[in-house]
Amino acid sequence: DQQVKQNSPSLSVQEGRISILNCDYTNSMFDYFLWYKKYPAEGPTFLISISSIKDKNEDGRFTVFLNKSAKHLSLHIVPSQPGDSAVYFCAASATSGGSNYKLTFGKGTLLTVNP
Amino acid sequence: AAGVIQSPRHLIKEKRETATLKCYPIPRHDTVYWYQQGPGQDPQFLISFYEKMQSDKGSIPDRFSAQQFSDYHSELNMSSLELGDSALYFCASSARQGLVPSFGQGTRLTVV
């Protein structure tokens, strides 16, 4: 049972355009969401996060939007750069009830930004 | 800045052998998480420790065990290895069960 779903295994965009990566979740206990970026042969690197009390969080070129009613979040990268090419993982945690914030990951989306 | 250190980076073992993976968290981080990522799969939570005590357990086989030591480093012990144990094993750490764990570079275990 995949509680965090990234339905697009891959995405290809042109340099300078917007990249939109999507993520859906099923567990209503999730209240904290993170995006990690992963290059081959490296561990995941934290990118940006959002709490369920917000619907938007922005950090430079990266913006995460959360739609709680739809249990959907998206990561927008604008403008996209070739160095953004990597696998992007959506992750979620349930911070109430002392669950110690273990992360549940989606399967990842491979983003390729073409020069 | 110091990051999470995992050793070894690569490990090749034969079926039925034993492997030990080590994780050194970021200084002053007291929480350690272990994840397993199979080929083409998402990282799966195995087990976590907070202040040297097991705090949560995921899909960790009974053949695996782990502990966190007094210096907060952690070891994942894997016995009776099977071909299906071949995967990337990531360790992550956070401070006081913080919201954003930082990941190490992983150990690639290959069982032949």
Side-chain angles (χ1 to χ4, degrees), chain A residues 2 4 32 34 36 38 41-46 49 89 93 95 98-108, chain B residues 9 31 33 35 37 41-45 48 55-57 88 90 96-106:
Chain A
Q2 192 75 19
V4 177
Y32 197 76
L34 308 88
Y36 281 85
K38 186 180 180 304
E42 294 186 12
T45 302
F46 171 71
S49 63
F89 285 99
S93 66
T95 63
S99 65
N100 96 302
Y101 313 153
K102 68 181 180 188
L103 300 178
T104 300
F105 284 87
K107 290 192 178 297
Chain B
R9 290 293 310 277
T31 305
Y33 307 82
Y35 290 83
Q37 185 179 18
Q41 302 296 314
D42 49 303
Q44 293 287 319
F45 171 73
S48 63
S55 53
D56 204 348
K57 196 171 180 180
L88 265 172
F90 289 108
R96 293 186 209 168
Q97 305 187 87
L99 293 172
V100 183
S102 297
F103 282 79
Q105 292 191 302

Side-chain angles (χ1 to χ4, degrees), chain B residues 45-91:
Chain B
F45 171 73
L46 292 178
I47 195 167
S48 63
F49 294 88
Y50 169 59
E51 280 292 341
K52 292 153 279 183
M53 300 286 291
Q54 181 182 306
S55 53
D56 204 348
K57 196 171 180 180
S59 51
I60 183 169
D62 292 340
R63 300 177 288 107
F64 294 7
S65 65
Q67 57 181 323
Q68 186 179 31
F69 295 86
S70 57
D71 64 350
Y72 297 103
H73 94 272
S74 178
E75 294 184 4
L76 177 66
N77 298 294
M78 310 157 70
S79 62
S80 302
L81 286 169
E82 301 173 357
L83 295 178
D85 296 328
S86 296
L88 265 172
Y89 290 83
F90 289 108
C91 171

